[in-house]
Amino acid sequence: MRYVLAVVAILGTPASASANTVAAQALNSLRADAGLDAVRFSVQLESAAEAHATDMAQGGFFEHTGSDGSDVAARVSRTGYGWCIVAENIAKGQADLDEVMRAWAGSDGHRRNMLSREVSEFALVQGPDLIWVMVLARPGC
C-alpha cells in the first residue's frame, strides 16, 4: 500500500554533505528518543526537496502543491525513487537547522512525519528565502 503524508507549516540550496550529516544526527536523535530506527540520507529525496523549495521561492508561494500541481509523491517519483510511503514537511523563515528542527518537533503533524515507523530515508534542504523542505520516505515495499 502506498501512502502520502503532508503537513503544512505556517512558520518561516540544497544542504552540504556536512549539513546533511548534522540534519541526520538531529532527526535520528529525535527518533532514538522515541525508540525508532535511524533513517539515512537519500540523494533522490534531496533532489525532490530541492526542486520544491526552489519552485516555491521562484513562484512566491508556500504550500505542498507545486506550481505545476504536483504533490510530494509526484515530485519524488520524478527522481526515479520507487516509494511506498512518502511524507513532506515544509517551513519558512527559520534561520538555521536547529530552529527548523525545533519548530517541526513542536508541531504534532510534522513530528508525526519525522517519527513515522514507516520511513527509512530522508533529505532536508534549505532553499532560497529560508524555505525548508524535508522529504521522508521508504523505497520498495
Side-chain angles (χ1 to χ4, degrees):
M1 185 177 303
R2 292 164 59 113
Y3 298 93
V4 177
L5 307 172
V7 178
V8 177
I10 305 178
L11 319 165
T13 324
S16 68
S18 62
N20 279 311
T21 300
V22 173
Q25 289 170 343
L27 177 57
N28 286 326
S29 176
L30 182 69
R31 291 178 63 82
D33 289 347
L36 298 170
D37 291 337
V39 293
R40 63 190 171 279
F41 171 76
S42 165
V43 172
Q44 287 175 295
L45 296 180
E46 181 184 48
S47 178
E50 178 185 2
H52 190 49
T54 301
D55 184 35
M56 286 190 287
Q58 290 177 348
F61 66 95
F62 179 71
E63 58 188 76
H64 289 283
T65 302
S67 62
D68 62 357
S70 64
D71 62 9
V72 64
R75 291 186 294 273
V76 169
S77 293
R78 284 181 196 152
T79 71
Y81 188 99
W83 59 272
C84 66
I85 185 166
V86 63
E88 178 178 70
N89 288 352
I90 61 175
K92 184 175 181 178
Q94 290 76 10
D96 58 39
L97 177 66
D98 289 338
E99 192 177 337
V100 76
M101 290 299 289
R102 277 194 310 274
W104 283 333
S107 163
D108 289 342
H110 296 98
R111 184 179 182 87
R112 187 171 36 255
N113 284 348
M114 293 188 300
L115 297 181
S116 170
R117 292 183 184 283
E118 302 301 318
V119 299
S120 60
E121 297 182 339
F122 89 102
L124 171 65
V125 300
Q126 177 191 355
D129 302 332
L130 294 177
I131 294 174
W132 297 83
V133 178
M134 176 185 280
V135 178
L136 303 110
R138 179 170 45 143
C141 300

